[in-house]
Amino acid sequence: ESLRNDQQIYYLANLYKAVQETEDHFGPVAEGTMALPSPSQETYRVRRLPGKGVSRAQDDEGYHELQRLLEPTPRAIGLWWLWRCFDGYHDKHARAALVVITVEDRFFLVDILELERKTMLNTSAPLDKPYLELIKQICEARHLLKVVHYLEGTALRALQLALISEQQRHGDEKPSNYSSLSPSIDMALVAAYLSGTSAGKCKELPGLVWKYLRQDLCVTEALSNFEHRPLRESQEHYALCLAWCPLVILRACCSYQLVPVDVITDLTIKADAEWVKKRMDEVMYRENFGEGS
């Protein structure tokens, strides 16, 4: 039995022996899959990457550029966040490590984990607090329609826990309030309306990307570790796709009048602070919670 196992291991090792490591680049890992459009010359660059137009909110320039979203101009933005959690039923303290925002031709990656690390190295000047406050303001801005995809209990919890203090996150004291996420619209609800089904059956974003955009979404980085630093450029590309695709799909549905405006209004989630607090109390302090919480 031991010899047979050794032979199997030797066979599997030889399969990958000649495989070269894929060169990291800002784009999908799988060939022929969807890539983000090349940014225009007006795309704001905070930390310039050769030929890449991605804004990283890790310095003053990125902070001020993000602040421009708070100007009272109604617009829709793509918003999502990534976290590491193996079991949402047991791990109730996992919080977002990376927040991504897409708007028009600009892409933002707010590396919360890296900002926290820098704050720990420089306790006299908390670097992460201004950025967290700015993310809160963006989430609560009434003139910004936040387009998300399948905002279930685990995802909502991961975002909210990233926006509160470490003491509140791990202590017994409940936060007095959470950040609202209003107005927002869940692309899973829009797809459910178009398909005549439930949002739970429209939770797979790659399927929606193929159905409405006729593009394959590379999911190679879906199970990668987004708490490991530095992030690969392919990880950044995948993260931005999670915020960009729902926004583009919604625009396509509205442009081709697949969804009436009044239906979009009805599907808009009024996720005010009271609604969020109620959901957070459920997912944090109830032993078991379902995806619909």
Side-chain angles (χ1 to χ4, degrees):
E1 182 69 25
S2 177
L3 178 60
R4 187 171 64 179
N5 289 339
D6 291 342
Q7 290 175 338
Q8 290 175 341
I9 293 174
Y10 178 76
Y11 171 73
L12 292 173
N14 283 332
L15 284 178
Y16 296 96
K17 195 171 184 180
V19 177
Q20 297 181 352
E21 185 177 353
T22 304
E23 183 180 354
D24 188 26
H25 66 286
F26 186 76
V29 177
E31 294 184 2
T33 53
M34 189 196 70
L36 291 174
S38 299
S40 66
Q41 296 299 321
E42 290 76 22
T43 299
Y44 185 77
R45 292 172 174 82
V46 178
R47 184 176 174 184
R48 186 178 295 275
L49 297 172
K52 316 299 189 297
V54 181
S55 295
R56 301 170 187 260
Q58 295 176 349
D59 51 36
D60 291 338
E61 288 183 285
Y63 178 82
H64 294 307
E65 183 67 14
L66 271 177
Q67 275 189 318
R68 291 183 56 190
L69 296 181
L70 298 178
E71 296 175 357
T73 303
R75 67 181 73 186
I77 65 172
L79 174 67
W80 199 243
W81 48 96
L82 295 100
W83 66 99
R84 188 183 185 190
C85 179
F86 294 106
D87 190 339
Y89 289 85
H90 296 95
D91 187 0
K92 297 185 177 182
H93 298 285
R95 83 281 191 262
L98 181 71
V99 176
V100 289
I101 299 173
T102 63
V103 51
E104 297 170 355
D105 59 351
R106 287 171 292 170
F107 305 96
F108 296 93
L109 292 120
V110 186
D111 196 337
I112 294 178
L113 203 65
E114 182 66 14
L115 290 168
E116 287 181 355
R117 185 186 69 83
K118 291 181 178 179
T119 296
M120 292 175 63
L121 297 175
N122 185 18
T123 55
S124 60
L127 299 176
D128 58 341
K129 187 175 180 180
Y131 293 87
L132 296 181
E133 289 297 327
L134 181 55
I135 295 298
K136 288 182 183 178
Q137 294 177 38
I138 292 174
C139 290
E140 296 173 352
R142 303 292 297 179
H143 66 283
L144 296 176
L145 176 63
K146 278 70 70 173
V147 183
V148 298
H149 178 256
Y150 202 58
L151 184 62
E152 42 79 40
T154 306
L156 178 65
R157 181 178 64 193
L159 175 64
Q160 295 296 330
L161 289 183
L163 301 179
I164 61 177
S165 66
E166 187 76 13
Q167 183 178 3
Q168 290 176 318
R169 188 156 53 235
H170 294 285
D172 296 329
E173 181 183 355
K174 296 181 181 180
S176 57
N177 57 70
Y178 294 97
S179 299
S180 68
L181 202 63
S182 181
S184 60
I185 187 165
D186 195 328
M187 194 57 218
L189 293 177
V190 178
Y193 167 82
L194 292 172
S195 303
T197 184
S198 64
K201 294 182 178 179
C202 300
K203 63 181 181 180
E204 300 298 336
L205 184 58
L208 298 184
V209 172
W210 173 255
K211 183 175 182 179
Y212 294 103
L213 303 180
R214 279 297 184 262
Q215 293 283 328
D216 286 318
L217 178 62
C218 178
V219 295
T220 304
E221 296 288 9
L223 296 179
S224 62
N225 185 1
F226 280 91
E227 291 192 357
H228 183 269
R229 295 296 180 273
L231 292 171
R232 294 185 296 276
E233 290 187 55
S234 56
Q235 283 182 292
E236 296 176 349
H237 182 272
Y238 172 73
L240 288 168
C241 284
L242 297 183
W244 185 77
C245 289
L247 179 61
V248 173
I249 293 173
L250 180 63
R251 285 177 174 171
C253 291
C254 293
S255 297
Y256 288 97
Q257 300 181 348
L258 299 180
V259 185
V261 176
D262 58 335
V263 172
I264 293 293
T265 303
D266 292 339
L267 293 177
T268 300
I269 303 171
K270 310 300 191 297
D272 55 19
E274 183 179 352
W275 182 91
V276 172
K277 186 177 187 304
K278 182 179 179 181
R279 300 285 84 75
M280 286 296 293
D281 287 343
E282 291 176 356
V283 299
M284 286 296 293
Y285 304 103
R286 200 171 76 191
E287 288 300 323
N288 296 311
F289 65 94
E291 289 186 333
S293 55

